[in-house]
Amino acid sequence: MERLKNEALVMKAQQEGWTFLPLPKNLHDNKERTSSDIKLLHACESVIIEWAGLVSEFLQQNPSQLLLDGIKPQPSEEFNFWNNRLTNLQLIQQQMTSSKAQQVASFLQSTGGPYRFILKQIYEDVQKGLREAHDATEKLQPLQDKLDKIERLQYRQLRDKMAAVMEKVNEVWINSHFHCKPCWIVVLLQEICNLFIDWSRKFLHGQEVMQGLLADPAQVLDDIRVVILTLQCLKDKYSQYRTMLEKKNGGSRMWEFPSHLVFSEVDDFLTRLLSIQEVYSVRLQFQLEQVVLAGGRGKMWTSAVEEVYQDFLKQLHLLTDCRYDASEPTDQNFPLQASSFQDHVLDLEARLLSILRGTMEDCCVSSSAVKLLNMFGPVLERPLIQEQLRPQLVQLVDMVMTELDQVEALVKSKSLTTEVSSKFKASPAATLRWTQQLLLRAHSVLMNFQTVQYLCGESGEPVMQKFQKIVASVVELRNTVRQDWSRQLDTESAFILEHPLIEQQQQGIMEIPFRHKLEAMLSEIKQVSWEKDLELPPEAARVLKFRRDITKSYLCLSHMVSCYNQVVSGALSEDLPLIQDQLQEQKESLLELHSNTWRSEGVHQLIAQKRESVTAFFASVSEARANTAAISRITQGWVELPLLQREGNFLEKGEDTEQSYNRLREDSQEVLRLTQENHRLYAIQDTSQSWSDYLDHVDQLVQDGLLQLLLRSLRFLTDNMKPESRGGALLQVSLQLQSTESVFEPSLDGDLADQLKSFINDVYLAASFAPRLSVSCPGNHQEALRENADLIVLEQQVMQRLVEVRGEAALLRADLDRFSLLWKSHKRGVMQEFLTYGRKLGPDEEEVEEAPPTLTDFQREIQSLQKQMTKVNHLNENMLLHGWLQVELRPFKTALRLFIHNWISMYTQHLLKLVRHSMSQRSVDEEQDEYSKKSASSFPLTETIMLLETVGVEVPELTTLLQS
């Protein structure tokens, strides 16, 4: 049982990572032990054998075992191994030095048996293991600290830390008593390599490394190159420190083990990265998505390139869709797919070659061919494409040479024409610019070619030689032209410098003599200043020296002449008297320059002095003329102001009229302000006749503007009062029916005339808002315009339209008088006559036999009145007279319908009384008028009631009788 317990404790300790040394069972008894205690001796010997096995098994553990097992450990495994080994050995030492273990040792020593030597050997092995573990943990700690710091860095920073890592490894090799053996240092270096490989794969995202072919190939390729350089740097630093050890130790303590034992995993990983790098390089070379070819067959070639690119993308999708980790060197799936990919790329290269050859043949100039090659870009770096495209590249060189020959021929032809004198010959400056353009043209051809020269190899050398020859020819031509140009400029400069600065032409206009030649000379002198190392003769050199002063003075003089000429040529009849004296002063001042030339001393200061006076005079005159023009625009704009307007359908005085009055007040104040401003600008006295004439002119402008406004407003009134205008109703009256006659309200004789006169007065009122400016014209504009013949004619036309409309109104009343009997007849007399004779008597009938009316007579009279009602209902409610006066008939119709209703009611009420009498069978003595007695029983009751109902009269007594 004790043995099973010990075995369980040993297994549990091993699972927890430490070693448990079991003790004998009876060792815990307190009785005396003797050497003859066979049972205890056997137990102690068994324990020693078990201790030896456990310690030996632990000490035989090797950190390189993981490598031997095919696992790829990292330095952390090494560090953990020695730290755990040191801790475990310390625990074993504590167990062996415990009191109980010492009891076992003392008992074995007392027996004198051979197991005491085994126990001693176990103790010595533990001590040796402790020394080795202490040494390993102590010497590996700096390397562990360095790797921990490096692990916290970004991967791109690792390359700079490789020397520090190898330095720490070198220190372990030199200082350690146990890791100075090749087998141990190889294991350590292999673990370091495994660590950097793991970091590299994490940096490249391992299984996702191929996903970048479609997403961001340039970035992934850059990351791959960083990894390759980093691992290569690791190998380089290893070799560097290996060489340092050889030089330092003179053949002892060197790293004599083969390097491939250390870097076999790194080399395999680098080989795999180079394969991946090649795939990414091909991906970046086949940048064909932006290729768009022009020309007659451009669409066909573009489509062909698109097909190649789509096939290439299909191959990339096969690589990106892989389920394996391409960065794992032991996985053989990637090499198979990469090989298939390269085979397809070779086929695509052949197809691209056919396209390139065809498109190169379509290019007629070198720039197109170069643009084409640049468009295909990195794919041309493929060795197969470069080799197979060589004939087309040779043709490109020939094309470039031909274009340079053309430039050379132009240079030679120009060299010949410079010797021929012609008035149509280009100017020297133009020739020099032309030669500069030739150089730029040749340089452009060369620069375009140089972008693809790496594809042509040594065949591009003649191009540079030809370009240098052209440059030499152009330089020679330019020197010849420059010499001729300097002599010509000297002659022209002398001619210009001798002439006066200014001359007077016809009509008082000033002019700068030979101004066009002067401008041309200054322009050429400016161009000469751009030419380097050009020696000029004295006169041209003088102009060049003072070019800025001459140019500045010429511009100043041109401005002065322009200002003066504008004042003279733009003189107005109204402002010329105002500026006559000042204009004469400016003329005399400018003519002083006639006696000076461009050679004169102080000419530039003289021009500058006179400039201020001329420009100030021009500015004041220009501003005054602008003010006068503004006054004219203001007054001309009044014609659009709405003085008369329609509010709804009729002419009324509304808000727009008041706004127009306000506008006239504001504009009048502005005219007054501008006039006062011109008084200041012209600097004229108030009492001068010229200023009085100017005020008359401005006053006339104001009055003309007001006149046009009034004419337009009155014409608006007269035009809208024409019968043929069809402008709709302008004014409105209503026809009212009084007891004796029909009348218009307002009346056409008084009220309507007053209304029209009120509108005309409102129009004239607008002229009162502008004050008179003229000194010679008293009063105001309203009084003056009242006497204007055109306005008087328009007023008369308005009144004439009123007379005409009165005639039409009279005709309308006469037409409506056919209903006059309805309101003029006496109803009681008519009814008395009807009840006596059964009808209305004529004017000539005197002695007529009485004949009381029948029911038919009543029906006739009622129907006659109903017909009248129908005619009244069909009358228009509004009528337009003379095309502008609207007559409202609604009041007339309402009153007339009321008269008709009363007449009908007179007959129906009589019949209703008869019906009531018959129904109630009242006695003859009941109150009845004399007329009812005569016809009390003459009408059938039923027919009478039916007649009443036809006109809408109900018999209340009949309803009561029926209900009872």
Side-chain angles (χ1 to χ4, degrees), residues 236-444:
D236 293 342
K237 296 303 177 182
Y238 164 81
S239 300
Q240 180 180 345
Y241 275 91
R242 180 173 183 167
T243 303
M244 289 172 56
L245 286 172
E246 292 176 356
K247 293 179 180 180
K248 183 176 181 181
N249 298 319
S252 62
R253 294 181 64 83
M254 297 186 302
W255 289 348
E256 297 179 344
F257 47 85
S259 298
H260 69 85
L261 294 177
V262 176
F263 294 108
S264 60
E265 294 291 338
V266 172
D267 291 339
D268 291 343
F269 186 61
L270 285 174
T271 301
R272 177 57 57 87
L273 288 182
L274 291 174
S275 299
I276 297 175
Q277 182 184 23
E278 175 62 21
V279 173
Y280 270 93
S281 298
V282 174
R283 169 67 182 94
L284 292 178
Q285 288 173 342
F286 275 73
Q287 298 286 345
L288 304 176
E289 60 268 25
Q290 300 297 331
V291 175
V292 179
L293 304 177
R297 299 190 293 174
K299 188 175 182 180
M300 178 190 71
W301 294 126
T302 303
S303 178
V305 173
E306 178 66 21
E307 291 179 3
V308 171
Y309 184 63
Q310 291 301 323
D311 291 345
F312 178 71
L313 289 180
K314 290 179 182 178
Q315 298 302 319
L316 291 180
H317 279 291
L318 292 177
L319 288 173
T320 56
D321 293 341
C322 63
R323 302 299 180 185
Y324 53 83
D325 187 354
S327 65
E328 175 55 56
T330 59
D331 194 322
Q332 295 304 311
N333 289 308
F334 174 75
L336 295 176
Q337 279 201 318
S339 177
S340 175
F341 174 75
Q342 294 295 346
D343 292 341
H344 281 89
V345 169
L346 291 176
D347 177 64
L348 297 178
E349 286 180 350
R351 292 165 60 183
L352 279 179
L353 270 171
S354 299
I355 297 172
L356 280 167
R357 288 170 178 167
T359 52
M360 288 285 286
E361 291 175 359
D362 293 342
C363 295
C364 55
V365 292
S366 63
S367 59
S368 298
V370 170
K371 183 178 180 181
L372 172 67
L373 294 176
N374 287 328
M375 193 181 300
F376 279 89
V379 76
L380 300 179
E381 298 175 5
R382 305 289 296 173
L384 176 63
I385 293 181
Q386 277 195 29
E387 183 64 28
Q388 298 294 328
L389 201 61
R390 191 160 302 279
Q392 283 71 32
L393 296 175
V394 173
Q395 292 178 5
L396 172 61
V397 175
D398 295 340
M399 196 180 301
V400 171
M401 291 295 292
T402 300
E403 293 176 0
L404 292 178
D405 289 340
Q406 293 173 354
V407 176
E408 185 179 21
L410 289 173
V411 175
K412 290 181 179 179
S413 65
K414 192 64 179 179
S415 300
L416 295 176
T417 57
T418 53
E419 301 175 1
V420 180
S421 177
S422 173
K423 64 179 180 180
F424 300 108
K425 184 174 67 175
S427 67
T431 302
L432 291 177
R433 287 195 299 269
W434 180 78
T435 56
Q436 190 67 31
Q437 292 297 323
L438 286 181
L439 279 179
L440 291 175
R441 179 177 171 182
H443 188 262
S444 176

Side-chain angles (χ1 to χ4, degrees), residues 548-745:
R548 294 184 181 277
D549 292 336
I550 294 175
T551 302
K552 182 178 179 181
S553 296
Y554 169 72
L555 294 174
C556 179
L557 185 59
S558 297
H559 181 64
M560 292 165 56
V561 170
S562 175
C563 290
Y564 177 82
N565 290 340
Q566 286 185 54
V567 173
V568 174
S569 61
L572 304 174
S573 59
E574 60 270 11
D575 74 344
L576 185 58
L578 298 172
I579 62 173
Q580 189 67 47
D581 296 339
Q582 299 179 61
L583 190 61
Q584 183 63 29
E585 292 177 5
Q586 297 299 329
K587 177 181 178 180
E588 294 173 357
S589 176
L590 288 176
L591 288 177
E592 293 177 6
L593 297 174
H594 180 71
S595 59
N596 291 273
T597 67
W598 292 107
R599 293 180 184 274
S600 300
E601 188 71 23
V603 65
H604 305 299
Q605 292 79 3
L606 181 62
I607 292 174
Q609 291 173 1
K610 294 183 177 298
R611 176 176 182 269
E612 183 177 355
S613 175
V614 174
T615 53
F617 173 63
F618 170 74
S620 62
V621 173
S622 298
E623 186 177 354
R625 288 176 178 176
N627 289 342
T628 304
I631 292 173
S632 180
R633 287 194 301 272
I634 290 172
T635 56
Q636 290 175 7
W638 288 344
V639 70
E640 301 298 332
L641 295 178
L643 296 180
L644 295 178
Q645 60 184 344
R646 292 178 181 272
E647 291 290 341
N649 295 324
F650 303 103
L651 185 66
E652 293 184 13
K653 183 178 178 181
E655 295 182 1
D656 289 348
T657 303
E658 290 298 329
Q659 291 177 2
S660 298
Y661 291 163
N662 292 333
R663 165 81 177 277
L664 285 170
R665 293 188 185 96
E666 294 172 359
D667 287 353
S668 298
Q669 292 300 316
E670 179 65 13
V671 168
L672 184 60
R673 186 192 68 80
L674 293 174
T675 304
Q676 294 172 350
E677 179 70 14
N678 280 1
H679 181 268
R680 181 187 64 80
L681 293 172
Y682 286 127
I684 196 73
Q685 295 182 358
D686 293 341
T687 58
S688 66
Q689 183 60 40
S690 59
W691 178 245
S692 179
D693 294 341
Y694 180 76
L695 289 179
D696 290 343
H697 170 71
V698 175
D699 188 76
Q700 189 60 44
L701 290 177
V702 173
Q703 185 160 311
D704 290 344
L706 293 173
L707 174 61
Q708 295 303 318
L709 171 62
L710 269 58
L711 286 173
R712 177 176 176 271
S713 300
L714 292 182
R715 287 195 185 106
F716 169 82
L717 191 59
T718 57
D719 291 343
N720 280 273
M721 294 176 73
K722 292 180 180 179
E724 64 274 11
S725 67
R726 298 182 181 180
L730 193 65
L731 296 174
Q732 182 180 9
V733 296
S734 62
L735 184 61
Q736 303 286 343
L737 184 58
Q738 297 181 357
S739 59
T740 58
E741 62 177 348
S742 57
V743 296
F744 289 103
E745 291 185 1

Side-chain angles (χ1 to χ4, degrees), residues 69 118 121 252 424 467 870 932:
D69 294 340
I118 297 176
Q121 185 63 44
S252 62
F424 300 108
F467 176 75
T870 301
S932 298

Side-chain angles (χ1 to χ4, degrees), residues 123 200 285 297 414 445 515 757 875 887 911:
Y123 185 78
S200 299
Q285 288 173 342
R297 299 190 293 174
K414 192 64 179 179
V445 174
R515 62 182 304 161
K757 290 179 181 179
L875 290 176
V887 178
L911 293 176

